[in-house]
Amino acid sequence: MRFAIECIERVGIAQDILSLLGAQGINLDGIELQKLSDKDLVYLRAEQIDPVQEASLIKQIKKIPNVRS
């Protein structure tokens, strides 16, 4: 599974996102950060999870300060 998370960069945002994965027992395969002129992106590659768990994770990620989408 792969996520692209649009955010405003701040110290600790990647750690906040990774903490959610760890709390749900989701294995991370990779992470990449990309700075663009109008936004910052965090790309995550993780093991496949069921749709209910994925929906819950997306909801929780959106609640992290500075996450746009």
Side-chain angles (χ1 to χ4, degrees):
M1 144 179 103
R2 185 175 167 138
F3 285 104
I5 302 165
E6 184 179 333
C7 60
I8 299 169
E9 179 57 36
R10 67 167 172 79
V11 173
I13 194 164
Q15 183 166 346
D16 291 347
I17 294 167
L18 295 177
S19 291
L20 286 177
L21 292 176
Q24 292 196 18
I26 299 169
N27 189 35
L28 179 69
D29 292 330
I31 184 170
E32 179 183 337
L33 307 171
Q34 182 178 24
K35 289 186 145 304
L36 302 173
S37 60
D38 60 336
K39 61 186 169 186
D40 297 319
L41 294 168
V42 177
Y43 295 103
L44 298 176
R45 285 186 321 276
E47 66 184 351
Q48 198 65 34
I49 57 176
D50 67 71
V52 173
Q53 188 177 20
E54 182 179 343
S56 173
L57 180 62
I58 290 169
K59 255 187 198 180
Q60 290 177 21
I61 289 173
K62 287 180 178 180
K63 291 180 183 178
I64 294 173
N66 292 16
V67 169
R68 292 182 175 174
S69 63

